Amino acid sequence: GLFGVPELSCPEGFQEAQDKALQESEQLVQKACSTPPGPETVMIFDQLSDALCRVADLADFVKIAHPDFAFREAAEEACRNIGTVVEKLNTDVELCQSLRRLLADEIVMSSLDPETRRVAELFMFDFEISGIHLDEEKRKKAVNLNVRILDLCNEFLTGTHLPNKIDKHVLPEHIRYNFTAEGNYLQVAGLHADCPDDLVREAAYKIFLYPNAEQLSRLEELLASRNSLAQLVGYDTFAHRALQGTMAKDPETVRQFLEKLSDQLSKRTQKDFEMMTKMKIKLNPQNSKLMPWDHPYYSGALRAERYNIDPGLYCPFFSLGACMEGLNSLFSRLLGISLYAEQTQRGEVWSEDVRKLAVVHETEGLLGYIYCDFFQRPDKPHQDCHFTVRGGRLKENGEYQLPVVVLMLSLPHSTRGAPTLLSPGMMENLFHEMGHAMHSMLGRTRYQHVTGTRCPTDFAEVPSILMEYFANDYRVVNQFARHYKTGQPLPKNMVSRLCESKKVCAAADMQLQVFYAALDQIYHGKHPLKNTTTEILKETQEKVYGLPYVPNTAWQLRFSHLVGYGAKYYSYLMSRAVASMVWKQCFAQDPFDRAMGERYRREMLAHGGGKEPILMVQG
């Protein structure tokens, strides 16, 4: 069965696994309600969370990545059903009472260790943001809103990827070959941001971002429903509800953070835009105005022109084997951890090219498993991501339930003549995702509710972004970058060119992220919104980003992060700010410093979400 779960040897098994989890959860709810307040209460709550998450988390991954439609469909169904049960439990008054009795009992509370106390408070927080304090009718309304929001999220997400079609005669003949033909139509499935032809990028931008009325009404309903839910449970806006418990804590802090960042960037961003404009005029004199479809292309072109960093020069040094070897040696020197390939059983993986790694510590033994789903295949989403399939926790019998995660990338397959070769960008992404995986492996908490990356969103990206700093350091790269044919190391000047090139247009690239984050905050801020989502996009784009809005486009309808990162898109930027501090203060002097690695593990990674993030950062 998938991931070694015996029921999941066929799609129908999801129903079985789900029924088993729901049965177990009913017994645990009864047990929680009849147990006197004490540490056991928290334990039972965590078992309840674990029983549901073990199926829901696994299904969350399978519904996206499994090549077999029947599996994807069954997983989607299981997600929905368990999601609905979770929303109901979050408004179950009797269940909440049992936790409330514990939190109200000062003597028992003072005897609990800090992690147990925090987990009890986090469970209570889940009740509160779900509207436990409301009367029955309003609680029902909250559950229904939550279920509707889940559905809208799924529909909106699907809509963000759908191609747009256009009559092929509308486009000049010499650029049609860039798009997929379908009878008399051309399909535009993305922005073609790397295409050197200005006209192709312009066409792709205007067609792919042409507003779709259904998708627009989905977004409007999603934002309105989120706002209604937040207000129903006692928050001013959805952003206030989403930011409680994060590092930022409230929308005001996020606003100040983004404004400060924007002020610091503005002069540099202007310089970047001027450089890009000059380059555009040089290549295309009759069309000198810098447009949104130009930014990604010309920033890349400037990098290439200045530093000659053609990926083709670098790929031969970054074979997948060499990169994995590099990660292995880094983790071994920094944390005493090694990665070992394991044989998988029949039916354990969903595609024969998935590899299973055991993560082993030199004295503590096996820490958990990472399934590497690294290669492209039809129907596989193109995003690189990390999924928790099973959280770690201390089981009732004293054993530790080992964490299981999946890392998903879209690398090219090896060919007859060459292994899988990674571009510098792919190599950096591999390090980034591995940062999440290590957080999952080392966030060895007693409770799975706060295991690994189950921590506030604006803190969750810190360990992964920190790994990018390692991936861009010559001392680290020099350990593993070898030409796959000759074994020669990557010359130092090539590494420094690559690192220097990252600074080109970095301000403009970051300003774009500030714009996305600001837009996300406004959408989830005060409702009713002052304007349509498109008007708000236009206004924010011109004010925060600086490149003109293009009429009849609606980029927000492709903004898939509004689903998973609603009101929290700023997290990437805030995590980057923290990661850069950690790098500079702890690892810049010596990226292999074992004592520092141990301190980083002890203060930051080990707690998962079991400790206030700001305290971990201070540590």
Side-chain angles (χ1 to χ4, degrees):
L2 285 175
F3 297 104
V5 178
E7 294 92 341
L8 300 184
S9 52
C10 61
E12 295 69 38
F14 267 107
Q15 184 68 44
E16 204 182 319
Q18 172 195 310
D19 293 345
K20 225 161 115 180
L22 295 181
Q23 219 175 339
E24 195 184 334
S25 68
E26 271 172 43
Q27 291 163 355
L28 287 163
V29 169
Q30 285 165 358
K31 194 173 165 187
C33 294
S34 58
T35 302
E40 208 195 339
T41 312
V42 182
M43 206 47 187
I44 296 166
F45 265 85
D46 194 61
Q47 281 169 293
L48 174 57
S49 168
D50 183 59
L52 295 167
C53 288
R54 270 204 317 260
V55 179
D57 287 342
L58 193 152
D60 240 344
F61 167 71
V62 173
K63 73 174 189 192
I64 289 179
H66 204 290
D68 179 345
F69 178 73
F71 262 108
R72 291 203 300 267
E73 204 171 33
E76 174 92 53
E77 183 61 19
C79 272
R80 224 197 114 121
N81 295 339
I82 289 188
T84 308
V85 172
V86 170
E87 297 305 345
K88 286 208 175 97
L89 288 175
N90 278 337
T91 54
D92 182 321
V93 177
E94 203 185 340
L95 184 61
C96 180
Q97 275 327 111
S98 67
L99 187 63
R100 227 181 226 138
R101 283 197 296 275
L102 169 69
L103 290 165
D105 190 326
E106 284 172 22
I107 297 166
V108 177
M109 279 303 279
S110 62
S111 72
L112 300 180
D113 61 280
E115 188 184 11
T116 304
R117 248 196 321 250
R118 178 164 165 90
V119 171
E121 284 161 1
L122 287 171
F123 276 121
M124 194 64 209
F125 171 60
D126 284 339
F127 280 120
E128 284 168 355
I129 65 171
S130 301
I132 194 74
H133 48 287
L134 306 172
D135 61 43
E136 192 178 350
E137 195 182 325
K138 284 187 174 151
R139 279 201 309 277
K140 270 198 185 133
K141 193 176 166 190
V143 170
N144 293 337
L145 268 169
N146 261 316
V147 173
R148 180 69 189 128
I149 287 168
L150 272 177
D151 285 344
L152 283 164
C153 282
N154 285 329
E155 290 169 21
F156 180 79
L157 209 45
T158 307
T160 58
H161 304 305
L162 288 180
N164 271 342
K165 282 207 291 211
I166 188 164
D167 184 336
K168 68 176 182 192
H169 300 100
V170 176
L171 291 184
E173 205 164 331
H174 70 280
I175 68 166
R176 289 179 201 166
Y177 73 91
N178 289 282
F179 307 106
T180 317
E182 214 183 80
N184 270 332
Y185 289 94
L186 293 174
Q187 271 207 355
V188 181
L191 291 174
H192 292 256
D194 299 331
C195 181
D197 188 333
D198 284 355
L199 194 58
V200 173
R201 293 195 314 278
E202 178 177 350
Y205 189 92
K206 289 177 171 172
I207 298 163
F208 188 62
L209 298 184
Y210 189 80
N212 169 309
E214 282 170 38
Q215 182 74 340
L216 189 59
S217 71
R218 274 181 216 128
L219 176 60
E220 285 167 354
E221 191 186 340
L222 174 61
L223 297 177
S225 304
R226 279 176 168 174
N227 182 68
S228 305
L229 177 67
Q231 294 197 325
L232 183 66
V233 300
Y235 292 90
D236 288 350
T237 67
F238 182 76
H240 283 89
R241 177 181 183 259
L243 294 175
Q244 200 173 333
T246 57
M247 256 190 321
K249 290 194 166 47
D250 55 51
E252 185 48 33
T253 311
V254 175
R255 194 183 60 80
Q256 288 175 2
F257 171 71
L258 293 174
E259 274 181 11
K260 270 191 180 151
L261 181 52
S262 212
D263 288 346
Q264 304 247 342
L265 288 171
S266 70
K267 281 203 176 75
R268 302 178 205 192
T269 301
Q270 277 323 108
K271 273 206 184 101
D272 288 353
F273 283 155
E274 281 161 22
M275 286 194 312
M276 289 185 230
T277 308
K278 272 187 191 143
M279 184 156 201
K280 184 173 180 176
I281 293 170
K282 197 164 92 184
L283 297 174
N284 191 349
Q286 67 279 25
N287 195 349
S288 61
K289 191 171 181 187
L290 197 67
M291 297 303 281
W293 55 80
D294 292 324
H295 174 169
Y297 174 72
Y298 285 109
S299 65
L302 276 164
R303 265 178 220 125
E305 180 185 63
R306 271 200 200 167
Y307 292 104
N308 182 20
I309 44 152
D310 174 23
L313 295 172
Y314 286 85
C315 288
F317 293 91
F318 294 137
S319 68
L320 180 56
C323 295
M324 293 307 288
E325 211 35 72
L327 283 161
N328 193 32
S329 111
L330 176 65
F331 291 147
S332 148
R333 292 172 69 173
L334 212 51
L335 298 157
I337 281 171
S338 302
L339 309 170
Y340 295 99
E342 281 228 345
Q343 266 315 110
T344 52
Q345 305 292 314
R346 224 187 79 190
E348 185 181 343
V349 294
W350 46 101
S351 173
E352 67 275 12
D353 55 15
V354 175
R355 298 284 171 265
K356 179 184 183 182
L357 298 178
V359 180
V360 182
H361 187 272
E362 57 193 24
T363 56
E364 297 162 39
L366 182 61
L367 297 181
Y369 294 105
I370 302 172
Y371 287 84
C372 300
D373 185 354
F374 280 176
F375 301 101
Q376 298 163 347
R377 63 172 172 269
D379 271 354
K380 179 178 166 182
H382 264 307
Q383 70 237 54
D384 296 343
C385 36
H386 160 274
F387 292 86
T388 300
V389 172
R390 186 175 72 198
R393 71 183 181 110
L394 193 58
K395 292 199 288 203
E396 302 65 79
N397 60 8
E399 288 173 18
Y400 198 78
Q401 170 174 301
L402 295 175
V404 174
V405 303
V406 176
L407 292 191
M408 195 160 86
L409 306 170
S410 302
L411 303 177
H413 280 274
S414 53
T415 58
R416 267 209 201 126
T420 290
L421 300 175
L422 281 66
S423 68
M426 291 171 185
M427 184 270 287
E428 191 179 278
N429 285 357
L430 171 65
F431 271 65
H432 176 103
E433 297 306 332
M434 229 13 160
H436 285 308
M438 278 304 128
H439 197 186
S440 291
M441 296 297 122
L442 293 171
R444 274 180 102 68
T445 51
R446 190 181 327 170
Y447 303 105
Q448 72 79 43
H449 193 60
V450 291
T451 178
T453 55
R454 296 198 209 276
C455 57
T457 313
D458 53 8
F459 180 72
E461 292 296 325
V462 172
S464 52
I465 293 174
L466 181 63
M467 282 300 291
E468 295 176 18
Y469 285 89
F470 285 95
N472 285 305
D473 188 279
Y474 178 70
R475 294 161 295 182
V476 176
V477 175
N478 187 38
Q479 295 290 313
F480 70 87
R482 296 282 177 280
H483 196 289
Y484 74 97
K485 278 185 178 157
T486 63
Q488 126 197 36
L490 183 63
K492 186 166 185 178
N493 71 337
M494 278 180 76
V495 182
S496 46
R497 280 204 324 252
L498 191 60
C499 297
E500 281 305 303
S501 75
K502 297 236 154 83
K503 298 174 188 166
V504 177
C505 298
D509 294 348
M510 193 175 278
Q511 191 69 51
L512 182 59
Q513 296 300 316
V514 174
F515 156 51
Y516 296 158
L519 188 66
D520 171 46
Q521 288 298 310
I522 298 168
Y523 283 167
H524 292 102
K526 216 165 160 38
H527 275 244
L529 295 172
K530 289 201 180 83
N531 250 319
T532 64
T533 56
T534 306
E535 283 290 331
I536 292 169
L537 170 85
K538 175 181 192 293
E539 208 175 299
T540 314
Q541 178 166 331
E542 288 169 355
K543 187 177 127 199
V544 180
Y545 179 37
L547 292 186
Y549 164 77
V550 179
N552 295 317
T553 61
W555 179 83
Q556 76 277 21
L557 303 183
R558 302 289 184 183
F559 191 6
S560 55
H561 281 83
L562 287 174
V563 170
Y565 285 80
K568 295 182 185 177
Y569 191 81
Y570 77 90
S571 297
Y572 288 110
L573 290 165
M574 197 169 272
S575 287
R576 186 166 289 281
V578 172
S580 92
M581 281 160 56
V582 174
W583 170 257
K584 283 180 187 141
Q585 289 181 32
C586 306
F587 298 110
Q589 261 182 301
D590 174 7
F592 304 110
D593 182 340
R594 179 68 185 263
M596 214 27 116
E598 291 297 342
R599 183 176 131 192
Y600 172 55
R601 174 183 177 179
R602 191 175 60 241
E603 295 291 347
M604 243 178 175
L605 298 179
H607 303 286
K611 192 173 171 182
E612 179 85 22
I614 261 325
L615 296 175
M616 296 194 263
V617 176
Q618 281 169 352

